[in-house]
Amino acid sequence: MDGHENEQHRTGDETSPERGRARRLTAWRPGHRLRRLGVVLALLAVTLGGIVIGTYAGGHVGTDIGPFRAELKLSPSLSGGTTVDIPPLGALLLDSHDGPAYLTVEVGSLDQGRTEALIDDPASISRASQSAVQDVRDGVMRLGLRTLASVVLATLLLAALVFRDVRRTAWAGGLALVVTAGSLGMAASTLRPQAIEEPRYEGLLVNAPAIVGDARRIANDYTKYAEQLQRLVGNVSKLYTTVSALPVVQPSPGTTRVLHVSDIHLNPTGWQLIRTVVEQFGIDVVVDTGDMTDWGSEPEASFVGSIGLLKKPYVFIRGNHDSPRTAAAVAQQPNAIVLNNSVTTVSGLTIAGIGDPRFTPDKETSPAGSGLTSAVADQVIGAGEQLAATIDKSPRKVDIALIHDPASAGPLSGDCPLVLSGHTHSRQVSKLPQVEGKQPTTLMVQGSTGGAGLRGLEGEKPTPLTMTVLYFDQQKLLQAYDEITVGGTGQSQVNLERHVIRDPAKGDQVPVTPTPTRGPSESPSPGTTTLSPTPTS
């Protein structure tokens, strides 16, 4: 019995090499090769899918760049490159590197704590600019490591679900690690730092010749401004202490304080000054006579978010640079009131206002929008006539009328004691030609609270930032006003001039300035419009 078994065992040993050759022949059969090729292709597909899923799922990280909060994102790409999103201005496209990885940097909002620290310590501004490059490097390094980990994890999970095999899952994870690390290494090895000097622009930046054509000079001027930021804000904060030495020692308890701003033109510094004055002067109401934005586009609508931070009623009319979309964004703020040929009562003051009838956002045009031609004069005068009719129908006496272009003021003479406007970027106070039998009307044209935006950097002397604090007595008559002027970008001088009105019922003793009026025809046409002088910048 044992001999028989041993014989069978020896017979099996003798035939084992033949079995091995059979297995090798089977491995080279066409069907078996196709199956192995299918496994390899499936492994590559799963690995590629894991890389894409992992990159989108984990290829993003938040980082601090100076006082800004930025979001860094990686995405698969055939050509590489970098996009720097700067809401609401648009984006800069940089040919920064090659390779299958695309970097997006989205600059977010300012961190309040870090911004205040920069203002309190002038030396920290220089340190922040020097550390910005290191901030970016640290953020990119963390982004790369996070992306690598996310890709490997996503690939392992996907391979485990598809193959249900430990060896194939491990192969997929290892392949994902090699491909991702190689892609990031390729991007790093082809990095071109000089690409920052030759960006392409998208969004609003394309439409801003002042930014695109002279970006370096504006950047240099803004650096000067950053160096003076601490002195500028400090001087503004001291304005309130100056008030006690001005002719009116202290306004009476029943006084209503109104801050008149206009033509902010997307300058965030304007908001900073507005907040400072609102707090230091105890402002009750802020009135804005338009041109908060430059192009009235949807990205710019986010700029109006600072209105809600003021915690005070904010009365707004649309300027010729503001679109209906801008006005709608303002109206969504909890403390904002948008007037469009309408009347409201705030803090005891009855205010009427109408938006500019034009929408001319092109920066190449003059401050008068499309120029004060006969047709344009008909438009702006027509707006004044509409508001005058609304004021006449108001059941309450109107204390202030708001218009954007002072050329609309003529029809309002005698309908209310005070008309506020902007548009010209040049402050001026004057009387409207008095209508017999009616009250005198003062016209106050505000300068630019935003220093004309980035355009204020184009000239040799930057446009100053201006605003006015108006003091109304218990009868809602203007009794005094403070004209605040802050030196333009790169300058930190701050001036305050108080003007006391001796007879509030008659208004300030200022010269009479004629405004455009229609011709004698009852149905005027562009040819019958008479153009009289109007304030210009």
Side-chain angles (χ1 to χ4, degrees):
M1 184 72 178
D2 293 340
H4 181 69
E5 290 179 354
N6 291 335
E7 184 67 23
Q8 287 182 336
H9 182 70
R10 285 194 297 270
T11 303
D13 291 341
E14 291 174 358
T15 59
S16 58
E18 295 180 359
R19 291 182 179 179
R21 284 194 296 270
R23 284 196 298 268
R24 288 194 292 271
L25 288 174
T26 302
W28 286 101
R29 288 175 183 172
H32 188 73
R33 290 201 303 270
L34 289 177
R35 188 174 70 85
R36 293 188 60 152
L37 180 61
V39 171
V40 173
L41 293 177
L43 188 66
L44 292 175
V46 168
T47 301
L48 181 60
I51 291 174
V52 173
I53 294 173
T55 301
Y56 281 111
H60 55 84
V61 66
T63 189
D64 295 330
I65 302 177
F68 291 95
R69 186 66 181 171
E71 183 80 12
L72 307 182
K73 300 178 183 177
L74 270 181
S75 58
S77 171
L78 296 177
S79 58
T82 300
T83 293
V84 181
D85 286 325
I86 312 175
L89 296 179
L92 283 73
L93 278 64
L94 309 177
D95 185 19
S96 58
H97 62 273
D98 299 325
Y102 196 91
L103 176 63
T104 301
V105 181
E106 184 173 346
V107 179
S109 59
L110 283 167
D111 181 86
Q112 183 176 354
R114 291 196 300 275
T115 304
E116 291 176 352
L118 290 178
I119 294 173
D120 294 336
D121 181 9
S124 63
I125 296 178
S126 177
R127 291 196 299 270
S129 63
Q130 294 172 1
S131 64
V133 175
Q134 187 61 42
D135 291 342
V136 173
R137 287 176 181 168
D138 293 343
V140 171
M141 182 64 68
R142 289 191 293 111
L143 175 64
L145 294 175
R146 179 187 175 98
T147 302
L148 200 61
S150 177
V151 163
V152 172
L153 179 60
T155 304
L156 289 174
L157 292 175
L158 184 60
L161 290 173
V162 173
F163 297 124
R164 300 182 183 276
D165 182 87
V166 175
R167 188 174 64 177
R168 292 176 182 175
T169 300
W171 269 105
L175 187 58
L177 177 63
V178 172
V179 172
T180 305
S183 300
L184 296 177
M186 180 179 178
S189 64
T190 59
L191 185 63
R192 292 182 288 272
Q194 67 275 14
I196 191 67
E197 299 178 1
E198 299 177 351
R200 287 191 300 114
Y201 296 88
E202 282 188 350
L204 298 175
L205 296 180
V206 173
N207 303 317
I211 301 175
V212 176
D214 208 2
R216 291 185 180 180
R217 181 177 56 78
I218 289 179
N220 292 335
D221 288 345
Y222 205 82
T223 301
K224 297 177 185 177
Y225 168 63
E227 295 171 354
Q228 299 292 338
L229 185 60
Q230 192 270 343
R231 287 177 53 198
L232 184 150
V233 176
N235 287 343
V236 173
S237 300
K238 295 176 183 176
L239 285 177
Y240 188 65
T241 61
T242 308
V243 174
S244 60
L246 293 172
V248 175
V249 178
Q250 278 296 336
S252 62
T255 297
T256 304
R257 298 169 176 84
V258 175
L259 178 62
H260 178 205
V261 301
S262 189
D263 297 83
I264 299 175
H265 286 293
L266 290 178
N267 189 345
T269 307
W271 284 124
Q272 185 179 25
L273 296 178
I274 291 172
R275 287 196 297 270
T276 300
V277 173
V278 166
E279 294 172 2
Q280 298 286 356
F281 284 74
I283 298 299
D284 299 300
V285 184
V286 180
V287 295
D288 187 336
T289 47
D291 276 0
M292 182 178 293
T293 59
D294 269 342
W295 293 86
S297 64
E298 185 172 356
E300 291 175 287
S302 62
F303 183 74
V304 310
S306 296
I307 292 175
L309 301 177
L310 299 177
K311 308 295 184 183
K312 300 291 181 181
Y314 195 97
V315 183
F316 174 81
I317 62 168
R318 191 181 63 82
N320 62 296
H321 282 263
D322 301 318
S323 66
R325 184 177 295 168
T326 303
V330 174
Q332 291 177 358
Q333 299 301 309
N335 57 324
I337 302 170
V338 177
L339 297 179
N340 190 16
N341 197 25
S342 53
V343 181
T344 188
T345 299
V346 184
S347 296
L349 288 168
T350 301
I351 305 174
I354 189 170
D356 196 289
R358 303 158 294 176
F359 179 50
T360 54
D362 186 1
K363 292 182 180 180
E364 292 297 316
T365 60
S366 66
S370 49
L372 196 56
T373 63
S374 297
V376 173
D378 276 342
Q379 280 186 296
V380 295
I381 294 171
E385 291 172 341
Q386 293 179 50
L387 186 59
T390 299
I391 292 174
D392 291 339
K393 297 175 184 177
S394 173
R396 302 190 61 175
K397 175 182 174 294
V398 172
D399 304 305
I400 309 173
L402 307 181
I403 54 175
H404 178 64
D405 192 334
S408 300
L412 298 168
S413 180
D415 286 326
C416 62
L418 179 63
V419 177
L420 303 180
S421 73
H423 184 60
T424 65
H425 299 175
S426 178
R427 176 189 280 143
Q428 184 171 342
V429 180
S430 61
K431 283 287 185 64
L432 294 177
Q434 189 168 357
V435 177
E436 186 176 355
K438 289 191 175 183
Q439 62 182 330
T441 299
T442 299
L443 171 64
M444 302 185 74
V445 183
Q446 188 58 267
S448 174
T449 306
L454 286 176
R455 285 171 293 168
L457 299 173
E458 294 177 357
E460 294 183 3
K461 294 183 178 180
T463 303
L465 284 65
T466 65
M467 59 188 72
T468 303
V469 179
L470 310 171
Y471 300 93
F472 293 85
D473 60 20
Q474 293 183 349
Q475 287 71 44
K476 307 309 174 187
L477 295 175
L478 185 64
Q479 60 175 334
Y481 57 94
D482 294 335
E483 294 182 335
I484 301 173
T485 305
V486 179
T489 300
Q491 301 178 0
S492 60
Q493 182 179 2
V494 179
N495 294 325
L496 183 147
E497 295 183 16
R498 168 158 292 177
H499 301 265
V500 179
I501 299 176
R502 303 303 174 186
D503 188 350
K506 295 182 179 180
D508 207 357
Q509 298 300 315
V510 292
V512 175
T513 298
T515 57
T517 57
R518 295 184 186 273
S521 172
E522 294 183 0
S523 301
S525 63
T528 60
T529 301
T530 301
L531 300 183
S532 299
T534 187
T536 58
S537 61

